[in-house]
Amino acid sequence: MRELVEAVRERGVGVGTDVVKVDMFLNHRMDTELYVKIGQAFAAEFAHKKPELVLTVEASGIAGALTTAIACGSIPVVFAKKSRTRNVTGEVYESRVFSFTHGVENHIRVAKQYLPQGARVLIVDDFLANGEAAEGLCELCRQAGAEVIGIGVCVEKSFQPGHQKLVDAGYHVHALAKVTGIEDGKLIVED
Ligand code: 5GP
């Protein structure tokens, strides 16, 4: 997606050798126009597969999931929660996810009633690195007996193994911008 590729290239920052910082428009300050276009781009890629809900994980996946769900005809968004709160009552599906950015293991949970058996699910997240978050969300769908019709990520770090792992597992993965490397704080972004 041209606008996102340009934003990552011009306004993104590389931290060390493997962290991409896009706080200016995706992760802290949110460029709403860009997020609307992100949703439209995912809808263009996946709408023919007739998603019935968009699944993401809190917090940074929610904005893109919401604009995608609206662009897919205002289907619901369900976001997996990372903390065991009293808000998630009753029976939950749960999986473990190792967080790339925080270096800790999280449990992610979704109330069973919000992830129905047989639902056609589109997974959306802001980043794809090692594929842990996406795999954890796929695992929740597996437990629910829901069908993952695709995985959309705003920014993929192609030098990390997540994309290949998910493709090898048989998923349709679509990234709107691909960072192929980081050199002296500068991001190398595929055209
Ligand atoms: P994975 O689970 O694929 O290893 O990492 C994806 C998750 O970690 C995303 O939900 C995203 O929030 C976070 N993440 C991974 N790498 C980066 C990065 O370079 N920059 C930012 N901002 N988030 C990242």
Side-chain angles (χ1 to χ4, degrees):
M1 183 189 139
R2 187 179 50 79
E3 294 90 340
L4 186 60
V5 167
E6 283 172 6
V8 174
R9 192 177 280 145
E10 287 161 22
R11 295 188 277 164
V13 179
V15 181
T17 54
D18 58 4
V19 173
V20 173
K21 217 168 152 58
V22 287
D23 280 3
M24 170 63 189
F25 54 97
L26 280 194
N27 283 153
H28 195 8
R29 175 183 179 272
M30 291 197 253
D31 183 327
T32 50
E33 217 173 292
L34 191 61
Y35 262 117
V36 167
K37 287 180 181 160
I38 284 168
Q40 289 164 347
F42 284 139
E45 178 71 18
F46 293 112
H48 71 283
K49 292 194 163 176
K50 310 223 173 312
E52 293 166 342
L53 71 85
V54 177
L55 179 66
T56 189
V57 57
E58 67 175 351
S60 56
I62 293 175
L66 187 70
T67 57
T68 301
I70 292 168
C72 287
S74 294
I75 59 177
V77 175
V78 176
F79 65 90
K81 298 200 176 199
K82 287 178 180 163
S83 54
R84 197 186 294 271
T85 65
R86 284 193 210 141
N87 295 342
V88 180
T89 50
E91 297 245 20
V92 295
Y93 299 116
E94 184 169 42
S95 68
R96 281 184 199 181
V97 170
F98 185 80
S99 164
F100 176 83
T101 37
H102 298 107
V104 294
E105 191 176 76
N106 285 315
H107 284 79
I108 60 169
R109 302 173 188 83
V110 162
K112 289 187 176 176
Q113 60 185 314
Y114 299 135
L115 193 52
Q117 184 178 16
R120 298 176 63 77
V121 176
L122 172 57
I123 290 173
V124 167
D125 203 2
D126 61 337
F127 269 87
L128 176 57
N130 293 323
E132 287 272 327
E135 282 182 329
L137 292 169
C138 290
E139 169 59 20
L140 299 179
C141 291
R142 193 197 61 71
Q143 291 173 24
E147 184 188 352
V148 177
I149 60 98
I151 299 171
V153 291
C154 298
V155 183
E156 169 187 302
K157 293 186 288 181
S158 308
F159 53 89
Q160 292 180 303
H163 181 111
Q164 201 53 48
K165 273 192 335 198
L166 296 172
V167 169
D168 289 348
Y171 295 109
H172 172 179
V173 183
H174 184 65
L176 301 180
K178 296 183 178 182
V179 176
T180 56
I182 301 175
E183 277 174 17
D184 300 327
K186 268 215 85 69
L187 303 176
I188 304 163
V189 190
E190 201 175 282
D191 279 322

